[in-house]
Amino acid sequence: MTVVVRFAPSPTGLLHVGNARTALLNWLFAKKHGGRFLLRIDDTDAARSTKAFEEAIYRDLGWLGLSHDGTDRQINRLSVYSTAFYKLQAGARVYPCFETEAELERQRSLLAARKLPPIYNRASLEPANKAKWEAEGRQPHWRFKLSRSKVSWTDLVRGPVEIDTATMSDPVLVREDGAFLYTLPSVADDVDMGITHVVRGEDHVTNTAAQIEIFQALGAAVPKFAHFPLLVGAGGEALSKRLGSLSLESLREDGIEPPAVASYLAKIGTSDPVEPRLSLGELAEEFDFAKIGRAPAHFVVEELTALNAKTLHAMPYSAVADKVPQGEAFWEAVKSNLAKLSDTKDMARLVTGPVTPVIEDADFIARAARLLPPEPWDEGTWSLWTKAVSAETGAKGRELFHPLRLALTGLEHGPELKKLLPLIGRDRVLARLKGEVA
């Protein structure tokens, strides 16, 4: 069996780390098993869906490296949903309901007052009620009639799951204006597209029981399910109020690299250590549902920022060549000091200037300048020079290296000078040792 999974975002907002994680886990699972990853744009909510958000979905997934093997928009598939609906109707598994939202809310309030679950009472199935409401000219919405029995499946993350659909309201499939809600299009698409595995957050566990019954009512094979814990903040708080600042777009603008985001989202909440992986292929090889824990995964921005730095430190020049025009020698000299790729702009200034030298001991620096070896220079030049300066002045350790760093870079800390010195060049080094801005 070829694994086929799908990611079905709604173009009603920017992709955030929560649904990006859903997309990523689907992609990693499919690629590990040589399967297919489909992108399905859930744009049936015409009032809230926008073309700009749809384009942002493609842009963000592309930035993360999640290529898809096929795509479609649900707005183009309404005939598929109508066919599924008529099949359910022929099998007496859907029925019209006529209560207004105010009446349904009053029913829920009465049940809550009696400390009972807010389960729809199927009043519209009573012939007298149906006749009365039809005579009033009410337009119906349509519900799927659950079996009110237990539905069970073996979840790839949670293990055995059993839900009694008698504890659930019959889900609304079609609104009174004829618009399809989420549940039926999702199942109909999964059937039509041959989805073998549904990988999503655990907030959908209860929905799964109803959806399994719809699969069965349509005479379709039921896919396997994997429900993983949701992301929470550092203190266990829900991320919902912070998602605006955790969109992929905002992370990209903040200078977070795609491999860092992918590594972090793939590893948090699992038994694997959170370490940088430079390719999605590596992450796919290591992916396993058995590694995903049952506790919520903690998304900590500071951890992602630290992982971003580690990712940069591990990157070869070939991965950044189009963004770091200063060359491979420069990259190798500075990458271990980067927190974000944009830091290379400040690092480049250390090489080309202008740098304002900080001269702590003019006599020491003048003696060091006289010992500066001729070019050509390489990484061994720094050691050769500082040994000569130490022999001449008696300075060692910090009292040797710190004044030279301040004179050459104007900074307390920075890249290794053995790598930086050949890039700066003798003329500019000599100028800075003389206290000149260069």
Side-chain angles (χ1 to χ4, degrees):
M1 176 185 68
T2 300
V3 167
V4 184
V5 300
R6 45 74 167 179
F7 175 53
S10 298
T12 56
L14 295 173
L15 282 186
H16 55 73
V17 292
N19 47 30
R21 182 168 176 245
T22 299
L24 176 65
L25 297 187
N26 273 280
W27 193 96
L28 295 177
F29 175 68
K31 296 311 171 183
K32 179 172 183 176
H33 294 280
R36 303 177 68 229
F37 171 78
L38 305 182
L39 175 61
R40 200 164 71 209
I41 303 297
D42 180 2
D43 56 354
T44 53
D45 187 346
R48 298 174 60 228
S49 297
T50 71
K51 191 65 177 177
F53 284 137
E54 181 179 339
E55 292 171 352
I57 289 170
Y58 287 100
R59 182 171 61 250
D60 288 341
L61 291 179
W63 176 75
L64 202 55
L66 303 183
S67 58
H68 53 268
D69 301 298
T71 185
D72 207 341
R73 300 169 62 210
Q74 289 192 320
I75 199 66
N76 297 332
R77 300 175 55 78
L78 298 180
S79 62
V80 174
Y81 314 145
S82 294
T83 298
F85 176 79
Y86 294 139
K87 187 169 186 177
L88 294 176
Q89 191 177 42
R93 293 305 300 273
V94 293
Y95 61 98
C97 298
F98 299 88
E99 296 93 337
T100 65
E101 183 55 42
E103 290 168 340
L104 291 171
E105 181 57 37
R106 174 171 171 75
Q107 182 187 135
R108 289 190 287 265
S109 298
L110 291 173
L111 290 170
R114 297 167 57 193
K115 297 184 178 180
L116 296 173
I119 300 171
Y120 175 62
N121 61 12
R122 293 182 171 176
S124 285
L125 286 175
E126 295 293 331
N129 289 334
K130 181 181 179 183
K132 172 178 176 294
W133 288 328
E134 285 181 331
E136 292 175 1
R138 296 192 184 190
Q139 293 298 311
H141 57 274
W142 292 80
R143 292 180 184 262
F144 177 76
K145 189 175 183 182
L146 294 169
S147 67
R148 293 196 168 172
S149 60
K150 293 180 179 179
V151 174
S152 61
W153 72 93
T154 300
D155 198 278
L156 297 176
V157 175
R158 301 168 64 86
V161 179
E162 182 178 85
I163 293 178
D164 189 347
T165 60
T167 64
M168 302 166 55
S169 287
D170 294 333
V172 177
L173 301 187
V174 182
R175 294 189 316 206
E176 64 181 31
D177 62 0
F180 292 101
L181 296 182
Y182 162 80
T183 302
L184 183 58
S186 178
V187 172
D189 281 339
D190 287 346
V191 173
D192 189 58
M193 295 179 174
I195 301 302
T196 62
H197 295 75
V198 175
V199 181
R200 57 190 181 185
E202 63 182 11
D203 52 330
H204 287 282
V205 169
T206 301
N207 297 342
T208 297
Q211 289 177 346
I212 286 175
E213 290 204 352
I214 297 174
F215 277 109
Q216 293 169 336
L218 291 173
V222 178
K224 296 183 183 299
F225 292 90
H227 293 92
F228 51 84
L230 302 181
L231 295 181
V232 296
E237 72 278 9
L239 285 180
S240 57
K241 294 182 180 180
R242 302 172 57 202
L243 289 178
S245 64
L246 292 178
S247 67
L248 291 193
E249 181 175 280
S250 68
L251 293 178
R252 181 168 60 249
E253 290 173 350
D254 286 343
I256 305 299
E257 298 300 315
V261 176
S263 296
Y264 192 65
L265 293 179
K267 297 300 184 181
I268 54 173
T270 75
S271 56
D272 284 342
V274 179
E275 296 175 340
R277 295 290 183 266
L278 298 185
S279 75
L280 291 172
E282 291 179 88
L283 291 173
E285 288 176 10
E286 298 169 354
F287 181 80
D288 192 332
F289 285 123
K291 295 180 179 180
I292 300 177
R294 291 294 304 277
H298 289 256
F299 187 98
V300 182
V301 173
E302 292 76 13
E303 289 181 356
L304 175 58
T305 301
L307 186 65
N308 190 67
K310 291 181 180 179
T311 300
L312 289 171
H313 302 169
M315 278 186 175
Y317 180 64
S318 58
V320 298
D322 60 331
K323 300 175 184 176
V324 184
Q326 293 84 0
E328 185 171 4
F330 171 78
W331 175 251
E332 293 301 326
V334 305
K335 70 178 183 179
S336 62
N337 292 85
L338 301 175
K340 296 180 179 180
L341 194 60
S342 58
D343 295 342
T344 56
K345 295 179 181 179
D346 290 331
M347 296 294 179
R349 185 180 57 81
L350 298 180
V351 174
T352 61
V355 167
T356 301
V358 176
I359 309 297
E360 288 189 328
D361 185 334
D363 179 65
F364 173 81
I365 294 299
R367 295 167 74 182
R370 288 194 294 271
L371 295 169
L372 198 63
E375 291 181 316
W377 285 357
D378 57 26
E379 287 192 14
T381 302
W382 171 254
S383 177
L384 181 68
W385 178 39
T386 54
K387 284 180 180 178
V389 174
S390 179
E392 169 75 17
T393 64
K396 295 179 180 180
R398 179 178 171 80
E399 66 178 10
L400 170 65
F401 300 116
H402 190 249
L404 292 175
R405 177 175 290 281
L406 287 175
L408 296 178
T409 68
L411 302 175
E412 293 278 347
H413 307 283
E416 287 185 89
L417 284 169
K418 72 174 185 179
K419 294 182 177 180
L420 210 57
L421 197 69
L423 300 175
I424 298 173
R426 194 177 192 279
D427 290 345
R428 193 172 280 116
V429 166
L430 194 57
R432 293 177 188 178
L433 292 174
K434 292 178 181 179
E436 300 172 4
V437 177

